[in-house]
Amino acid sequence: MIKEYKTIEEVAGPLMLVRQVDGVKYDELGEIELPNGEVRRCRVLEVNGRNVLVQLFESSAGINLAESKVRFTGHGVELAVSPDMLGRVFNGMGEPIDGGARLIPEKSLDINGTPINPAARYYPSEFIQTGVSTIDGLNTLVRGQKLPIFSGSGLPHADLAAQIARQAKVRGTDSKFAVVFAAVGITFEEADFFISDFKKTGAIDRTVLFVNLASDPAIERISTPRMALTAAEYLAFECDMHVLVIITDITNYAEALREVSAARKEVPGRRGYPGYLYTDLATMYERAGRKMGSEGSITMIPILTMPEDDKTHPIPDLTGYITEGQIILSREMYHKGYLPPVDVLPSLSRLKDKGIGAGKTREDHAGTMNQLFSSYARGREAKELMVVLGEAALSPMDRLYARFADAFEAEYINQGFYENRTIEETLDLGWRLLSMLPKSEMKRIKPEMIEKYWPKD
Amino acid sequence: MMIEGKIFKVSGPLVIAEGMRQANMFDVVRVGEKRLIGEIIEMHGDRASIQVYEETAGIGRGDVVVSTGAPLSVELGPGLITNIYDGIQRPLEAMRLKAGSNITKGIDEPALDRDRVWHFEAVAQKGNLVGPGDVLGYVQETDVIRHKIMVPPKVSGAVLELRSGNFKVTDQIGRLRLENGESMPLTLMQKWPVRVARPYAQKLPPVEPMITGQRVIDALFPIAKGGTACVPGPFGSGKTVVQHQLAKWSDVDLVVYIGCGERGNEMTDVLREFPELRDPRTGKSLMERTVLIANTSDMPVAAREASIYTGITIAEYYRDMGYSVAVIADSTSRWAEALREMSGRLEEMPGEEGYPAYLTSRLAQFYERAGKVVCLGADGRQGALSAIGAVSPQGGDISEPVTQATLRIVKVFWGLDSSLAYRRHFPAINWLNSYSLYRDRLAPWFAEHVSKDWMELTGRCMKLLQVEAELEEIVKLVGVDALSAEDRLTLEVARSLREDFMQQNAFEEDDSYTQLDKQYALMSLVFDFYEQARRAVADGADVQKVTDLPIRERIGRAKAVPYAECEREYAAIRRAIGEQLNALVAAAQAEV
């Protein structure tokens, strides 16, 4: 029998203290019944003797110390899953909000998941063609990777994420594909952009949406991404689908976490974020991957907005230490009108090396990629120098590099959100741009490759 | 007597239990029905604070805590190598077979395979008096590691009985009569508490370099066998690649690679790739000399704290056999964060940035376990333990506490720089702020084994790079035209040194590892060109023409020339340098 307690002692911010309870476990899900019959959910943060500290998932408005009842469910926070989730919209706590029929769950899964045994992972190495040159050519995405987009306020990260969701495919395969989308504290307009884009392309039928809008309770944001990942794990590892998870915006998530931490009066780490922010983020990001005994995969694209475009802010910083690279958007490119405005030099995909080359993309990929990077870097340096000293001060070679950098930005980076380039088109474009420079500068490309692919005219 | 307590408080990985007055500090306890593994880290009267190495969801007040009466220990014996363990030495492969692809709670698997049979060859004879560290016999653990079965530390006595033959790790291979007259059974396996350094006879100053095959490291910032180094760098600067390269190519007998709070896929990468790679020294698979400890970032945070100690204790055990061992920890910052998290839960007064006040001393204790030593045992064999730790400073800012505490201890600093990484200059070790305090101490070795002028040549490299940095400042202010012809040449050669010598592609077969003599030849090539070009410029050749010579592209490709063809190709390049420069000089003089 489930006991009910009317011993709420304190409610402060998102926290509530319940006294005189027995048999409550750490991390257990609880329910609070208000005098008007409304039921809200909470989670055990700390058991201390017979006192239990719980964290509310919704607002505390209306909770009455004398009249509200608390009961504990005997299990953690769970999500009911079933293959019928595809095409549905849920709120941040995993309840359907699209007016459709109630889901008949196949099973209920703990939203915290369990760590994947590193000995049971497959190393991600299947090339995903996103149709975006700056990603395919330079920061290649592979199945099972977690590659965040670091953006800033006012930059079109949503367009880029939607473009990837629209165009991404693994060539030569016809496998089951799904998108799990988690809106974490974003505005209605932003969420609506994604939903209507998914509708327009028909992708909505293979998409599961979890929506916590800016107006929804901030504390709910702590569970929203975990709900989404639990759904993704179910689809990937039990239904053998290839799942692309898009979570936007992680910054809102971290702020919700900070709110709880501050309410608990924990010793803060940098900028008031809790010391365990790294571990907490890792338990989400690390759920991406491929593992033995399953055909499916989870590829994750979390989006975060860097406060003040500052990459060293704790949220992008800790994210960068966990994820396998990052795509950074640049305000400068955006102002120039180059879309998608990817800042190529600091962007990185750590898993690209095993996903490219003969048999995967093309044999010349690695060499041209490195050459484009270093040539563009040198071009940028030359341009900076040019700003200070004028063009005349540059050596002829540096002038050439500066021109190369301009052309690279205008053609390679700037492709728009609706152009879908094959990897061959991307690589050929790279060669065409490199041929603005003398052949002898191609130190990063093997001579055989130059022989074979150098544009002939 | 079994000490049993009841849980009073649960807060994340910290559990407080009552009724534990009889338990010892740092005893391992089993928590709750699922028998989660934990360790006592504080005692307050009747209450013990326990850090639990597994996820504590589902634990509540009144659950039982049982003390095992022993500190957190590792099992040491044949079967460690090629294995992958979690932070408290549970075998991940065996756990996968038992529990599937995710790590569930309360799995109990012995670290060493209890069913595997090893062939033991006894060398000690009946009646021999043996002391700590004396070799009883051998087990061929892998193709490259001959595992010495040693008398455990603090034990001495007479051999009553010892047999060669096939044994499991727990089988009795013989008996010792201890000094107090008791008889002690001997097995292939021993246990050792991880938080205690294994003893040795004497510590020695390190004098031999650990050759890594990484040019910028070996030539400019070398590390000694038995030395300590750290690799701080912001994310994306290639820390992990540097660590992997060291694990692959260092000329040590054994590598213990600790993935501490890092990405799961990185450990998988090592696990899948190392068996395929050949050790350049032995020609055998690299996995045959590797032990992996993986406590990835999504695994419980307390076990991350333990993983560093688990790793270094295993490394010390092989050091005690007289091997040269490298411990590579990626990353010590995550370890420090685990420490910080536990400290916060214990409500300790925080030091800088919330880290506990004992951060520095804990780090120092870890790195001090490295060193070149005379091992215990009558044969006086020597072993070395080198420790290399990655540091992940927040925001790439090395003034943060973990980096600063580490720098006070380690002798080599390889500072990674994100601006180099953006230019795809890898390894992105910043030559201006990195240092190695072993350089002078290792000079005699390099003079003897590579070349007499090794130190002079590498010193010239450092100087050239320094001069380049100064010239760059001028160029930024007034442009390259303001420089003299000689300075412009210097800039060009410095660029060549950076691109053609220091940059190294970890993913290209012939470039990933460079032998010392090839490193020397490559450096010489760059300076040969420098010398001759300088003379040519003095003789009237145009600097621009000199820098545009076709031979420079060939110098640029010299690093990727296979080792076998190096000598011929480099001689050819050297000849061509002379010819092309002479032609320039002749043309210039003809114009005049």
Side-chain angles (χ1 to χ4, degrees):
Chain A
M1 198 202 88
I2 294 177
K3 274 195 197 167
E4 283 189 338
Y5 299 99
K6 288 177 96 174
T7 48
I8 302 175
E9 175 83 10
E10 270 176 38
V11 183
L15 303 181
M16 190 171 85
L17 186 71
V18 191
R19 313 232 323 194
Q20 307 293 322
V21 295
D22 286 304
V24 174
K25 309 292 186 192
Y26 175 69
D27 214 23
E28 192 173 333
L29 177 69
E31 288 176 344
I32 307 155
E33 197 181 318
L34 269 52
N36 65 5
E38 192 188 333
V39 175
R40 293 188 191 158
R41 300 208 267 180
C42 61
R43 179 173 76 107
V44 176
L45 281 186
E46 188 176 291
V47 180
N48 191 355
R50 295 188 69 194
N51 297 348
V52 172
L53 183 71
V54 299
Q55 171 216 314
L56 303 170
F57 283 115
E58 288 138 278
S59 114
S60 54
I63 294 183
N64 175 310
L65 298 195
E67 295 300 324
S68 304
K69 287 178 275 189
V70 184
R71 52 182 176 261
F72 294 92
T73 57
H75 57 77
V77 185
E78 291 182 337
L79 176 72
V81 292
S82 119
D84 299 332
M85 298 177 95
L86 289 168
R88 302 291 302 269
V89 184
F90 301 86
N91 71 5
M93 289 302 288
E95 289 145 2
I97 51 167
D98 52 0
R102 261 205 108 68
L103 213 63
I104 300 164
E106 193 155 287
K107 56 165 90 174
S108 286
L109 296 174
D110 191 303
I111 65 160
N112 287 321
T114 46
I116 302 179
N117 187 333
R121 281 182 188 266
Y122 284 125
Y123 195 74
S125 61
E126 282 169 294
F127 168 65
I128 297 180
Q129 180 178 300
T130 64
V132 181
S133 290
T134 41
I135 297 178
D136 292 350
L138 302 175
N139 299 295
T140 317
L141 178 68
V142 294
R143 246 182 203 170
Q145 184 171 13
K146 37 194 179 295
L147 188 66
I149 299 176
F150 286 9
S151 181
S153 307
L155 292 178
H157 45 263
D159 299 78
L160 178 59
Q163 183 179 23
I164 295 171
R166 199 164 53 230
Q167 300 178 350
K169 62 170 183 181
V170 173
R171 303 208 303 173
T173 60
D174 191 25
S175 41
K176 290 189 283 180
F177 185 66
V179 177
V180 172
F181 177 80
V184 183
I186 59 173
T187 59
F188 167 77
E189 279 164 57
E190 225 175 321
D192 186 57
F193 165 79
F194 277 102
I195 296 173
S196 51
D197 197 81
F198 291 148
K199 277 190 182 145
K200 207 161 59 196
T201 55
I204 192 82
D205 294 336
R206 47 187 178 87
T207 302
V208 189
L209 291 110
F210 290 84
V211 182
N212 167 288
L213 295 180
S215 53
D216 292 330
I219 300 306
E220 200 179 287
R221 283 166 207 160
I222 293 180
S223 43
T224 308
R226 296 197 160 80
M227 293 278 168
L229 285 164
T230 307
E233 277 175 356
Y234 172 74
L235 294 173
F237 301 134
E238 297 189 35
C239 304
D240 289 337
M241 301 178 100
H242 292 287
V243 185
L244 178 68
V245 181
I246 298 175
I247 304 174
T248 176
D249 177 322
I250 294 291
T251 309
N252 297 335
Y253 169 81
E255 271 167 15
L257 204 65
R258 178 165 68 175
E259 193 178 326
V260 174
S261 167
R264 293 187 70 184
K265 301 188 174 64
E266 290 172 332
V267 177
R270 269 203 317 163
R271 296 218 186 181
Y273 291 97
Y276 48 80
L277 181 61
Y278 176 86
T279 306
D280 190 274
L281 289 174
T283 53
M284 299 199 308
Y285 296 143
E286 280 289 326
R287 290 167 81 171
R290 306 200 49 196
K291 60 182 195 181
M292 290 177 183
S294 167
E295 286 297 308
S297 66
I298 297 180
T299 309
M300 201 191 296
I301 302 189
I303 299 174
L304 57 89
T305 43
M306 300 181 278
E308 296 170 69
D309 293 357
D310 175 11
K311 195 159 72 83
T312 65
H313 184 280
I315 301 169
D317 187 54
L318 296 179
T319 297
Y321 276 121
I322 307 162
T323 53
E324 283 135 353
Q326 67 277 338
I327 304 292
I328 298 186
L329 300 190
S330 143
R331 213 166 279 281
E332 188 197 335
M333 288 294 141
Y334 186 54
H335 286 160
K336 282 185 183 170
Y338 294 163
L339 299 176
V342 174
D343 197 352
V344 168
L345 295 179
S347 295
L348 169 75
S349 162
R350 290 165 191 272
L351 302 184
K352 61 182 183 298
D353 298 294
K354 303 235 162 93
I356 63 176
K360 291 185 167 149
T361 55
R362 208 166 72 183
E363 51 182 346
D364 56 324
H365 194 158
T368 49
M369 176 180 76
N370 287 329
Q371 190 65 54
L372 281 170
F373 264 120
S374 66
S375 301
Y376 178 55
R378 185 157 169 203
R380 286 289 294 257
E381 270 172 37
K383 283 180 65 179
E384 275 165 28
L385 216 55
M386 210 157 85
V387 173
V388 183
L389 301 165
E391 194 172 345
L394 294 188
S395 68
M397 187 60 86
D398 278 342
R399 272 201 287 273
L400 213 49
Y401 270 105
R403 272 207 294 282
F404 165 81
D406 285 334
F408 177 83
E409 288 173 4
E411 295 183 44
Y412 198 93
I413 297 180
N414 181 27
Q415 72 174 85
F417 290 120
Y418 293 94
E419 186 179 336
N420 188 356
R421 291 178 183 161
T422 65
I423 182 65
E424 285 79 13
E425 284 167 354
T426 292
L427 290 173
D428 291 343
L429 176 61
W431 278 106
R432 199 158 55 70
L433 291 166
L434 284 174
S435 69
M436 294 172 68
L437 301 168
K439 253 189 208 179
S440 59
E441 288 293 303
M442 302 294 122
K443 285 187 185 172
R444 311 241 176 176
I445 310 180
K446 287 192 174 151
E448 316 82 272
M449 294 293 141
I450 299 180
E451 196 63 36
K452 190 165 166 190
Y453 291 102
W454 191 259
K456 308 204 169 39
D457 43 50
Chain B
M1 191 195 78
M2 198 133 89
I3 299 155
E4 215 179 88
K6 294 243 187 284
I7 292 181
F8 178 75
K9 176 177 173 177
V10 188
S11 168
L14 177 75
V15 165
I16 295 180
E18 294 177 313
M20 302 292 288
R21 189 177 287 276
Q22 302 296 320
N24 304 318
M25 276 292 281
F26 295 109
D27 271 0
V28 170
V29 295
R30 307 306 288 259
V31 178
E33 258 169 53
K34 291 200 164 159
R35 294 177 55 74
L36 309 181
I37 301 169
E39 188 183 14
I40 299 179
I41 52 173
E42 265 185 14
M43 297 287 293
H44 295 280
D46 189 36
R47 289 185 183 173
S49 302
I50 297 160
Q51 66 172 345
V52 181
Y53 293 124
E54 298 179 71
E55 174 55 49
T56 50
I59 298 283
R61 185 174 74 93
D63 288 0
V64 173
V65 172
V66 182
S67 169
T68 59
L72 185 67
S73 303
V74 287
E75 294 185 353
L76 300 168
L80 289 168
I81 301 176
T82 73
N83 227 324
I84 176 166
Y85 293 107
D86 77 352
I88 46 173
Q89 214 203 7
R90 291 184 301 178
L92 287 170
E93 188 63 36
M95 281 166 74
R96 179 179 74 80
L97 295 174
K98 192 169 171 182
S101 54
N102 287 53
I103 298 175
T104 44
K105 282 186 281 184
I107 305 179
D108 229 343
E109 254 322 287
L112 295 175
D113 187 344
R114 292 291 188 266
D115 297 324
R116 185 159 173 191
V117 174
W118 299 93
H119 181 74
F120 172 70
E121 195 186 317
V123 290
Q125 306 284 328
K126 187 176 172 181
N128 283 5
L129 285 175
V130 291
D134 281 342
V135 178
L136 295 169
Y138 297 96
V139 166
Q140 193 69 39
E141 185 173 1
T142 67
D143 284 347
V144 294
I145 296 282
R146 199 166 179 226
H147 193 115
K148 299 189 175 86
I149 303 298
M150 299 169 292
V151 178
K154 298 180 199 160
V155 172
S156 48
V159 179
L160 279 178
E161 171 194 11
L162 192 66
R163 294 176 293 145
S164 295
N166 294 329
F167 300 101
K168 296 175 183 168
V169 284
T170 46
D171 289 345
Q172 184 173 329
I173 54 170
R175 284 180 303 134
L176 275 190
R177 189 171 48 235
L178 303 181
E179 278 150 355
N180 62 9
E182 280 175 32
S183 150
M184 178 181 131
L186 294 167
T187 58
L188 294 180
M189 183 185 97
Q190 46 177 292
K191 283 193 173 189
W192 189 262
V194 296
R195 295 186 195 277
V196 180
R198 282 177 66 88
Y200 48 81
Q202 190 194 348
K203 213 164 207 175
L204 303 170
V207 288
E208 193 186 327
M210 184 174 106
I211 310 298
T212 64
Q214 308 306 300
R215 294 187 290 263
V216 60
I217 291 178
D218 290 345
L220 302 184
F221 311 108
I223 174 174
K225 282 186 178 147
T228 51
C230 74
V231 199
F235 65 85
S237 58
K239 262 190 316 295
T240 302
V241 177
V242 169
Q243 300 268 68
H244 280 197
Q245 287 293 89
L246 293 174
K248 284 176 192 168
W249 308 124
S250 294
D251 70 333
V252 291
D253 300 305
L254 189 93
V255 173
V256 179
Y257 192 94
I258 309 169
C260 173
E262 288 289 311
R263 306 176 181 90
N265 278 330
E266 277 168 10
M267 295 315 293
T268 312
D269 188 23
V270 175
L271 201 58
R272 306 273 176 265
E273 189 184 14
F274 276 29
E276 311 288 316
L277 292 171
R278 302 283 128 202
D279 181 351
R281 290 190 311 151
T282 59
K284 302 286 184 194
S285 152
L286 275 180
M287 207 61 203
E288 306 250 300
R289 58 159 221 187
T290 309
V291 182
L292 295 175
I293 312 284
N295 208 86
T296 55
S297 53
D298 53 341
M299 282 152 83
V301 70
R304 196 191 292 168
E305 192 263 340
S307 64
I308 292 263
Y309 298 107
T310 300
I312 202 153
T313 309
I314 292 173
E316 281 175 337
Y317 175 64
Y318 283 94
R319 174 207 67 190
D320 290 346
M321 293 177 204
Y323 288 120
S324 168
V325 186
V327 168
I328 296 174
D330 187 10
S331 133
T332 55
S333 293
R334 304 299 162 226
W335 170 82
E337 278 169 15
L339 218 58
R340 174 168 71 181
E341 187 170 343
M342 285 317 294
S343 164
R345 304 236 183 224
L346 289 168
E347 291 164 14
E348 292 171 339
M349 185 65 93
E352 241 179 305
E353 288 195 17
Y355 288 104
Y358 44 80
L359 172 70
T360 314
S361 60
R362 292 280 175 89
L363 266 174
Q365 276 166 15
F366 168 72
Y367 282 109
E368 260 311 282
R369 288 172 78 167
K372 187 176 172 67
V373 302
V374 177
C375 310
L376 293 181
D379 56 358
R381 60 186 181 268
Q382 292 186 2
L385 172 54
S386 320
I388 298 150
V391 185
S392 318
Q394 292 207 334
D397 169 18
I398 63 165
S399 67
E400 58 93 40
V402 183
T403 317
Q404 285 305 314
T406 307
L407 283 180
R408 293 218 298 275
I409 308 156
V410 300
K411 300 285 184 289
V412 181
F413 168 61
W414 297 313
L416 299 181
D417 194 323
S418 52
S419 69
L420 290 175
Y422 297 163
R423 279 187 267 158
R424 296 307 186 258
H425 174 113
F426 287 116
I429 295 177
N430 183 329
W431 49 88
L432 295 175
N433 68 5
S434 299
Y435 60 78
S436 162
L437 300 182
Y438 295 117
R439 246 178 85 76
D440 295 329
R441 188 174 283 169
L442 299 175
W445 190 95
F446 281 112
E448 187 184 336
H449 293 86
V450 191
S451 166
K452 278 201 188 58
D453 60 346
W454 171 271
M455 283 303 281
E456 193 204 322
L457 198 60
T458 54
R460 282 176 73 188
C461 287
M462 304 268 252
K463 190 163 167 222
L464 180 62
L465 293 165
Q466 193 64 48
V467 170
E468 184 199 24
E470 286 160 18
L471 289 176
E472 289 284 358
E473 289 295 308
I474 301 174
V475 170
K476 273 193 195 127
L477 289 176
V478 291
V480 75
D481 286 340
L483 293 185
S484 68
E486 193 175 346
D487 284 346
R488 281 168 66 185
L489 183 67
T490 306
L491 272 185
E492 273 302 320
V493 176
R495 182 202 291 279
S496 160
L497 182 69
R498 282 191 281 115
E499 292 180 359
D500 307 337
F501 178 74
M502 286 160 60
Q503 277 182 19
Q504 190 163 0
N505 188 343
F507 302 99
E508 198 176 312
E509 203 181 330
D510 289 308
D511 199 19
S512 189
Y513 174 85
T514 308
Q515 293 77 0
L516 278 185
D517 49 346
K518 183 176 166 188
Q519 293 190 20
Y520 177 78
L522 201 53
M523 253 187 296
S524 309
L525 214 53
V526 173
F527 282 99
D528 272 1
F529 174 80
Y530 190 24
E531 283 309 313
Q532 297 192 38
R534 204 147 58 176
R535 275 203 299 277
V537 171
D539 290 345
D542 178 49
V543 179
Q544 194 59 46
K545 283 184 182 152
V546 169
T547 57
D548 289 345
L549 281 179
I551 190 62
R552 300 206 49 222
E553 190 195 342
R554 208 161 153 198
I555 298 177
R557 298 193 184 282
K559 61 184 174 186
V561 173
Y563 185 59
E565 296 160 32
C566 242
E567 205 176 322
R568 201 161 42 88
E569 171 67 9
Y570 287 8
I573 293 177
R574 205 163 267 133
R575 273 197 306 280
I577 292 175
E579 284 161 14
Q580 293 187 7
L581 283 170
N582 286 340
L584 267 189
V585 173
Q589 283 170 350
E591 269 177 42
V592 179

